[in-house]
PDB file of all heavy atoms in Angstrom:
ATOM      1  N   GLU V 306      15.842  71.005  28.849  1.00  0.00           N
ATOM      2  CA  GLU V 306      16.367  71.422  30.163  1.00  0.00           C
ATOM      3  C   GLU V 306      17.857  71.218  30.321  1.00  0.00           C
ATOM      4  O   GLU V 306      18.503  71.946  31.080  1.00  0.00           O
ATOM      5  CB  GLU V 306      15.610  70.635  31.274  1.00  0.00           C
ATOM      6  CG  GLU V 306      14.132  71.016  31.363  1.00  0.00           C
ATOM      7  CD  GLU V 306      13.360  70.109  32.301  1.00  0.00           C
ATOM      8  OE1 GLU V 306      14.017  69.250  32.963  1.00  0.00           O
ATOM      9  OE2 GLU V 306      12.137  70.244  32.392  1.00  0.00           O
ATOM     10  N   SER V 307      18.457  70.268  29.605  1.00  0.00           N
ATOM     11  CA  SER V 307      19.863  69.966  29.808  1.00  0.00           C
ATOM     12  C   SER V 307      20.782  70.614  28.770  1.00  0.00           C
ATOM     13  O   SER V 307      22.009  70.593  28.949  1.00  0.00           O
ATOM     14  CB  SER V 307      20.072  68.443  29.801  1.00  0.00           C
ATOM     15  OG  SER V 307      19.775  67.902  28.500  1.00  0.00           O
ATOM     16  N   THR V 308      20.225  71.208  27.744  1.00  0.00           N
ATOM     17  CA  THR V 308      21.048  71.839  26.724  1.00  0.00           C
ATOM     18  C   THR V 308      21.509  73.235  27.194  1.00  0.00           C
ATOM     19  O   THR V 308      20.693  74.018  27.678  1.00  0.00           O
ATOM     20  CB  THR V 308      20.283  71.986  25.392  1.00  0.00           C
ATOM     21  OG1 THR V 308      19.849  70.709  24.939  1.00  0.00           O
ATOM     22  CG2 THR V 308      21.184  72.627  24.302  1.00  0.00           C
ATOM     23  N   ALA V 309      22.789  73.508  27.087  1.00  0.00           N
ATOM     24  CA  ALA V 309      23.333  74.819  27.461  1.00  0.00           C
ATOM     25  C   ALA V 309      23.128  75.793  26.289  1.00  0.00           C
ATOM     26  O   ALA V 309      24.008  76.040  25.484  1.00  0.00           O
ATOM     27  CB  ALA V 309      24.833  74.706  27.794  1.00  0.00           C
ATOM     28  N   TRP V 310      21.896  76.309  26.184  1.00  0.00           N
ATOM     29  CA  TRP V 310      21.522  77.163  25.039  1.00  0.00           C
ATOM     30  C   TRP V 310      22.428  78.349  24.870  1.00  0.00           C
ATOM     31  O   TRP V 310      22.587  78.833  23.736  1.00  0.00           O
ATOM     32  CB  TRP V 310      20.064  77.581  25.193  1.00  0.00           C
ATOM     33  CG  TRP V 310      19.082  76.459  25.251  1.00  0.00           C
ATOM     34  CD1 TRP V 310      18.353  76.063  26.322  1.00  0.00           C
ATOM     35  CD2 TRP V 310      18.769  75.509  24.202  1.00  0.00           C
ATOM     36  NE1 TRP V 310      17.581  74.966  26.015  1.00  0.00           N
ATOM     37  CE2 TRP V 310      17.792  74.617  24.719  1.00  0.00           C
ATOM     38  CE3 TRP V 310      19.166  75.377  22.891  1.00  0.00           C
ATOM     39  CZ2 TRP V 310      17.284  73.573  23.951  1.00  0.00           C
ATOM     40  CZ3 TRP V 310      18.651  74.366  22.119  1.00  0.00           C
ATOM     41  CH2 TRP V 310      17.673  73.469  22.675  1.00  0.00           C
ATOM     42  N   GLU V 311      23.003  78.855  25.958  1.00  0.00           N
ATOM     43  CA  GLU V 311      23.826  80.043  25.880  1.00  0.00           C
ATOM     44  C   GLU V 311      25.124  79.756  25.076  1.00  0.00           C
ATOM     45  O   GLU V 311      25.817  80.725  24.705  1.00  0.00           O
ATOM     46  CB  GLU V 311      24.178  80.547  27.280  1.00  0.00           C
ATOM     47  CG  GLU V 311      25.073  79.633  28.111  1.00  0.00           C
ATOM     48  CD  GLU V 311      24.293  78.555  28.857  1.00  0.00           C
ATOM     49  OE1 GLU V 311      23.100  78.396  28.622  1.00  0.00           O
ATOM     50  OE2 GLU V 311      24.923  77.853  29.696  1.00  0.00           O
ATOM     51  N   ASN V 312      25.404  78.526  24.794  1.00  0.00           N
ATOM     52  CA  ASN V 312      26.630  78.158  24.050  1.00  0.00           C
ATOM     53  C   ASN V 312      26.412  78.124  22.553  1.00  0.00           C
ATOM     54  O   ASN V 312      27.315  77.738  21.804  1.00  0.00           O
ATOM     55  CB  ASN V 312      27.154  76.789  24.533  1.00  0.00           C
ATOM     56  CG  ASN V 312      27.651  76.829  25.965  1.00  0.00           C
ATOM     57  OD1 ASN V 312      27.997  77.891  26.462  1.00  0.00           O
ATOM     58  ND2 ASN V 312      27.655  75.694  26.589  1.00  0.00           N
ATOM     59  N   TYR V 313      25.216  78.499  22.107  1.00  0.00           N
ATOM     60  CA  TYR V 313      24.884  78.409  20.664  1.00  0.00           C
ATOM     61  C   TYR V 313      24.324  79.711  20.102  1.00  0.00           C
ATOM     62  O   TYR V 313      23.826  80.550  20.869  1.00  0.00           O
ATOM     63  CB  TYR V 313      23.913  77.239  20.445  1.00  0.00           C
ATOM     64  CG  TYR V 313      24.457  75.955  20.962  1.00  0.00           C
ATOM     65  CD1 TYR V 313      24.052  75.433  22.189  1.00  0.00           C
ATOM     66  CD2 TYR V 313      25.408  75.236  20.243  1.00  0.00           C
ATOM     67  CE1 TYR V 313      24.560  74.251  22.688  1.00  0.00           C
ATOM     68  CE2 TYR V 313      25.922  74.046  20.725  1.00  0.00           C
ATOM     69  CZ  TYR V 313      25.511  73.544  21.950  1.00  0.00           C
ATOM     70  OH  TYR V 313      26.037  72.382  22.432  1.00  0.00           O
ATOM     71  N   GLY V 314      24.413  79.835  18.827  1.00  0.00           N
ATOM     72  CA  GLY V 314      24.020  81.061  18.182  1.00  0.00           C
ATOM     73  C   GLY V 314      25.239  81.984  17.979  1.00  0.00           C
ATOM     74  O   GLY V 314      26.246  81.864  18.677  1.00  0.00           O
ATOM     75  N   ALA V 315      25.146  82.898  17.019  1.00  0.00           N
ATOM     76  CA  ALA V 315      26.296  83.770  16.707  1.00  0.00           C
ATOM     77  C   ALA V 315      26.761  84.577  17.902  1.00  0.00           C
ATOM     78  O   ALA V 315      27.935  84.809  18.116  1.00  0.00           O
ATOM     79  CB  ALA V 315      25.909  84.680  15.548  1.00  0.00           C
ATOM     80  N   LYS V 316      25.785  85.007  18.732  1.00  0.00           N
ATOM     81  CA  LYS V 316      26.119  85.829  19.911  1.00  0.00           C
ATOM     82  C   LYS V 316      26.983  85.085  20.916  1.00  0.00           C
ATOM     83  O   LYS V 316      27.736  85.725  21.655  1.00  0.00           O
ATOM     84  CB  LYS V 316      24.804  86.259  20.580  1.00  0.00           C
ATOM     85  CG  LYS V 316      24.959  87.308  21.662  1.00  0.00           C
ATOM     86  CD  LYS V 316      23.592  87.719  22.187  1.00  0.00           C
ATOM     87  CE  LYS V 316      23.698  88.778  23.281  1.00  0.00           C
ATOM     88  NZ  LYS V 316      22.372  89.197  23.760  1.00  0.00           N
ATOM     89  N   SER V 317      26.900  83.776  20.924  1.00  0.00           N
ATOM     90  CA  SER V 317      27.679  82.951  21.882  1.00  0.00           C
ATOM     91  C   SER V 317      29.169  82.924  21.574  1.00  0.00           C
ATOM     92  O   SER V 317      29.979  82.602  22.440  1.00  0.00           O
ATOM     93  CB  SER V 317      27.125  81.531  21.921  1.00  0.00           C
ATOM     94  OG  SER V 317      27.510  80.837  20.725  1.00  0.00           O
ATOM     95  N   GLY V 318      29.530  83.220  20.330  1.00  0.00           N
ATOM     96  CA  GLY V 318      30.916  83.118  19.916  1.00  0.00           C
ATOM     97  C   GLY V 318      31.305  81.711  19.464  1.00  0.00           C
ATOM     98  O   GLY V 318      32.469  81.470  19.125  1.00  0.00           O
ATOM     99  N   ASN V 319      30.348  80.789  19.455  1.00  0.00           N
ATOM    100  CA  ASN V 319      30.629  79.399  19.016  1.00  0.00           C
ATOM    101  C   ASN V 319      30.974  79.470  17.536  1.00  0.00           C
ATOM    102  O   ASN V 319      30.171  79.910  16.705  1.00  0.00           O
ATOM    103  CB  ASN V 319      29.356  78.542  19.250  1.00  0.00           C
ATOM    104  CG  ASN V 319      29.620  77.067  18.968  1.00  0.00           C
ATOM    105  OD1 ASN V 319      30.438  76.716  18.149  1.00  0.00           O
ATOM    106  ND2 ASN V 319      28.930  76.240  19.713  1.00  0.00           N
ATOM    107  N   PRO V 320      32.190  79.049  17.152  1.00  0.00           N
ATOM    108  CA  PRO V 320      32.597  79.105  15.759  1.00  0.00           C
ATOM    109  C   PRO V 320      31.685  78.306  14.810  1.00  0.00           C
ATOM    110  O   PRO V 320      31.589  78.641  13.624  1.00  0.00           O
ATOM    111  CB  PRO V 320      34.022  78.550  15.742  1.00  0.00           C
ATOM    112  CG  PRO V 320      34.112  77.747  16.998  1.00  0.00           C
ATOM    113  CD  PRO V 320      33.250  78.450  17.981  1.00  0.00           C
ATOM    114  N   LYS V 321      31.026  77.272  15.317  1.00  0.00           N
ATOM    115  CA  LYS V 321      30.147  76.472  14.475  1.00  0.00           C
ATOM    116  C   LYS V 321      28.870  77.249  14.108  1.00  0.00           C
ATOM    117  O   LYS V 321      28.171  76.867  13.184  1.00  0.00           O
ATOM    118  CB  LYS V 321      29.761  75.193  15.196  1.00  0.00           C
ATOM    119  CG  LYS V 321      30.920  74.224  15.391  1.00  0.00           C
ATOM    120  CD  LYS V 321      30.448  72.926  16.069  1.00  0.00           C
ATOM    121  CE  LYS V 321      31.615  71.926  16.210  1.00  0.00           C
ATOM    122  NZ  LYS V 321      31.157  70.679  16.853  1.00  0.00           N
ATOM    123  N   CYS V 322      28.612  78.330  14.860  1.00  0.00           N
ATOM    124  CA  CYS V 322      27.398  79.114  14.613  1.00  0.00           C
ATOM    125  C   CYS V 322      27.682  80.434  13.893  1.00  0.00           C
ATOM    126  O   CYS V 322      26.781  81.166  13.544  1.00  0.00           O
ATOM    127  CB  CYS V 322      26.704  79.399  15.921  1.00  0.00           C
ATOM    128  SG  CYS V 322      26.257  77.954  16.895  1.00  0.00           S
ATOM    129  N   ALA V 323      28.983  80.718  13.714  1.00  0.00           N
ATOM    130  CA  ALA V 323      29.400  82.039  13.257  1.00  0.00           C
ATOM    131  C   ALA V 323      28.750  82.498  11.945  1.00  0.00           C
ATOM    132  O   ALA V 323      28.351  83.633  11.780  1.00  0.00           O
ATOM    133  CB  ALA V 323      30.924  82.115  13.154  1.00  0.00           C
ATOM    134  N   ASN V 324      28.692  81.572  10.970  1.00  0.00           N
ATOM    135  CA  ASN V 324      28.177  81.938   9.635  1.00  0.00           C
ATOM    136  C   ASN V 324      26.790  81.417   9.361  1.00  0.00           C
ATOM    137  O   ASN V 324      26.309  81.489   8.230  1.00  0.00           O
ATOM    138  CB  ASN V 324      29.164  81.441   8.547  1.00  0.00           C
ATOM    139  CG  ASN V 324      30.399  82.315   8.490  1.00  0.00           C
ATOM    140  OD1 ASN V 324      30.292  83.542   8.411  1.00  0.00           O
ATOM    141  ND2 ASN V 324      31.561  81.685   8.522  1.00  0.00           N
ATOM    142  N   CYS V 325      26.140  80.841  10.368  1.00  0.00           N
ATOM    143  CA  CYS V 325      24.819  80.238  10.141  1.00  0.00           C
ATOM    144  C   CYS V 325      23.725  81.292  10.015  1.00  0.00           C
ATOM    145  O   CYS V 325      23.621  82.154  10.879  1.00  0.00           O
ATOM    146  CB  CYS V 325      24.490  79.278  11.262  1.00  0.00           C
ATOM    147  SG  CYS V 325      22.874  78.460  11.062  1.00  0.00           S
ATOM    148  N   MET V 326      22.964  81.217   8.935  1.00  0.00           N
ATOM    149  CA  MET V 326      21.771  82.057   8.758  1.00  0.00           C
ATOM    150  C   MET V 326      20.579  81.207   8.315  1.00  0.00           C
ATOM    151  O   MET V 326      19.621  81.663   7.745  1.00  0.00           O
ATOM    152  CB  MET V 326      22.057  83.133   7.705  1.00  0.00           C
ATOM    153  CG  MET V 326      23.127  84.130   8.082  1.00  0.00           C
ATOM    154  SD  MET V 326      23.414  85.389   6.821  1.00  0.00           S
ATOM    155  CE  MET V 326      21.926  86.371   6.949  1.00  0.00           C
ATOM    156  N   VAL V 327      20.660  79.925   8.634  1.00  0.00           N
ATOM    157  CA  VAL V 327      19.708  78.951   8.118  1.00  0.00           C
ATOM    158  C   VAL V 327      18.342  79.109   8.774  1.00  0.00           C
ATOM    159  O   VAL V 327      18.236  79.505   9.943  1.00  0.00           O
ATOM    160  CB  VAL V 327      20.248  77.532   8.351  1.00  0.00           C
ATOM    161  CG1 VAL V 327      19.280  76.486   7.821  1.00  0.00           C
ATOM    162  CG2 VAL V 327      21.615  77.372   7.622  1.00  0.00           C
ATOM    163  N   HIS V 328      17.300  78.821   8.022  1.00  0.00           N
ATOM    164  CA  HIS V 328      15.904  79.032   8.490  1.00  0.00           C
ATOM    165  C   HIS V 328      15.595  78.194   9.729  1.00  0.00           C
ATOM    166  O   HIS V 328      14.884  78.668  10.616  1.00  0.00           O
ATOM    167  CB  HIS V 328      14.907  78.690   7.392  1.00  0.00           C
ATOM    168  CG  HIS V 328      14.685  77.209   7.204  1.00  0.00           C
ATOM    169  ND1 HIS V 328      13.578  76.571   7.710  1.00  0.00           N
ATOM    170  CD2 HIS V 328      15.404  76.254   6.609  1.00  0.00           C
ATOM    171  CE1 HIS V 328      13.623  75.289   7.410  1.00  0.00           C
ATOM    172  NE2 HIS V 328      14.738  75.056   6.756  1.00  0.00           N
ATOM    173  N   SER V 329      16.191  76.998   9.892  1.00  0.00           N
ATOM    174  CA  SER V 329      15.877  76.169  11.034  1.00  0.00           C
ATOM    175  C   SER V 329      16.380  76.762  12.357  1.00  0.00           C
ATOM    176  O   SER V 329      15.931  76.376  13.416  1.00  0.00           O
ATOM    177  CB  SER V 329      16.436  74.762  10.850  1.00  0.00           C
ATOM    178  OG  SER V 329      17.846  74.774  10.736  1.00  0.00           O
ATOM    179  N   GLY V 330      17.296  77.763  12.275  1.00  0.00           N
ATOM    180  CA  GLY V 330      17.737  78.398  13.467  1.00  0.00           C
ATOM    181  C   GLY V 330      17.180  79.796  13.654  1.00  0.00           C
ATOM    182  O   GLY V 330      17.109  80.319  14.750  1.00  0.00           O
ATOM    183  N   HIS V 331      16.769  80.450  12.535  1.00  0.00           N
ATOM    184  CA  HIS V 331      16.427  81.845  12.602  1.00  0.00           C
ATOM    185  C   HIS V 331      14.978  82.203  12.241  1.00  0.00           C
ATOM    186  O   HIS V 331      14.509  83.286  12.598  1.00  0.00           O
ATOM    187  CB  HIS V 331      17.390  82.659  11.712  1.00  0.00           C
ATOM    188  CG  HIS V 331      18.815  82.598  12.184  1.00  0.00           C
ATOM    189  ND1 HIS V 331      19.650  81.575  11.803  1.00  0.00           N
ATOM    190  CD2 HIS V 331      19.527  83.397  12.990  1.00  0.00           C
ATOM    191  CE1 HIS V 331      20.839  81.753  12.375  1.00  0.00           C
ATOM    192  NE2 HIS V 331      20.778  82.844  13.109  1.00  0.00           N
TER     193      HIS V 331
END
Side-chain angles (χ1 to χ4, degrees):
E306 294 171 4
S307 65
T308 302
W310 300 111
E311 67 275 9
N312 294 336
Y313 303 100
K316 189 177 181 179
S317 72
N319 189 328
K321 293 182 178 180
C322 303
N324 285 310
C325 180
M326 296 180 71
V327 180
H328 78 101
S329 60
H331 296 86

